[in-house]
Amino acid sequence: MSLFVITYLTSWISMSRIGKKIITVPKGVDVKVNAGEVEVKGPKGVLRSPIPTGISATLEDGTLSFTRENDDQAAFHGLARALANNSIVGVTEGFKREMDVVGVGYKADVKGRTIEFSLGYSHPIRYDLPEGIDAKAERVATKATITQYQLTLTLTGIDKQKLGQVAAELNRLRKPDAYKGKGIRYADRTYKLKPGKTGK
């Protein structure tokens, strides 16, 4: 059996199992199953997650469950359940993503809904935060062991997908270089740096 087939089957089984898990709706959260979507309202806001074709959602006795027409929809089954669960977590607890700014002279200043970066280019970079995403910049003392560490940007929001998109866009503003790791780095990732070239 090829590695591709094994990987596909493992993913299929995993998503199938996820899809079958029942979600318990917390107190203070209002869930509605509409045509093609699940609407979730909680203390932090309102989110809507899509219901893919071939997947059905049922709200009963404070629980939300998903079923599929056939096994061809196994991946979408798990996806629908995961998106709905993320919505429930988002409107109750919210999500957080941390980005480390590393590099001598690199800066990130949060001014209202805009982050102003100095990342070693000839000009500053302005990044406008989308609605629903907030940012805070601070220097974390426990990260001082990171070479050329400057500060950490903490991104928060209720929409996990949007939060991930913002983190990816910030990372692309200055991707960490392979030798010193200078750039905007995901705080939860370990970066293996290449050894620098030495003169003979």
Side-chain angles (χ1 to χ4, degrees):
M1 186 177 293
S2 69
L3 179 60
F4 172 79
V5 173
I6 294 174
T7 302
Y8 173 80
L9 289 175
T10 301
S11 176
W12 183 89
I13 292 172
S14 176
M15 293 306 289
S16 179
R17 286 176 178 171
I18 292 173
K20 292 177 181 178
K21 291 182 179 179
I22 294 174
I23 301 173
T24 300
V25 180
K27 291 182 179 179
V29 176
D30 182 33
V31 176
K32 293 180 180 178
V33 178
N34 303 321
E37 69 174 19
V38 174
E39 180 182 296
V40 182
K41 183 184 298 183
K44 290 183 175 292
V46 180
L47 288 174
R48 295 173 178 83
S49 62
I51 302 175
T53 302
I55 305 299
S56 300
T58 303
L59 181 65
E60 187 176 9
D61 296 330
T63 63
L64 179 64
S65 60
F66 293 86
T67 55
R68 60 179 185 265
E69 292 181 356
N70 54 63
D71 288 344
D72 290 338
Q73 280 94 27
F76 292 111
H77 189 191
L79 176 64
R81 193 268 182 196
L83 292 177
N85 188 65
N86 286 343
S87 294
I88 291 174
V89 174
V91 300
T92 53
E93 302 173 18
F95 293 99
K96 180 176 72 171
R97 198 74 192 264
E98 293 183 345
M99 310 293 290
D100 291 334
V101 178
V102 178
V104 174
Y106 287 11
K107 298 178 181 178
D109 295 320
V110 180
K111 298 181 178 180
R113 302 296 304 161
T114 300
I115 308 176
E116 292 188 0
F117 291 96
S118 294
L119 298 172
Y121 299 116
S122 60
H123 59 282
I125 298 174
R126 292 170 57 89
Y127 181 88
D128 294 325
L129 291 165
E131 184 179 353
I133 301 298
D134 296 311
K136 179 178 68 174
E138 62 181 343
R139 184 173 175 82
V140 181
T142 56
K143 296 188 178 185
T145 54
I146 300 175
T147 304
Q148 299 188 21
Y149 168 77
Q150 301 301 316
L151 56 87
T152 295
L153 280 170
T154 301
L155 307 172
T156 56
I158 66 173
D159 189 326
K160 187 177 183 179
Q161 184 176 355
K162 183 184 288 188
L163 189 68
Q165 179 63 34
V166 171
E169 290 175 357
L170 295 184
N171 175 251
R172 286 197 292 268
L173 293 179
R174 189 78 179 195
K175 286 198 170 185
D177 73 75
Y179 294 96
K180 295 183 179 180
K182 294 167 56 178
I184 301 179
R185 298 160 45 159
Y186 291 100
D188 58 355
R189 289 187 186 177
T190 300
Y191 291 84
K192 187 176 181 180
L193 304 180
K194 295 181 180 179
K197 295 181 180 179
T198 57
K200 294 183 179 180

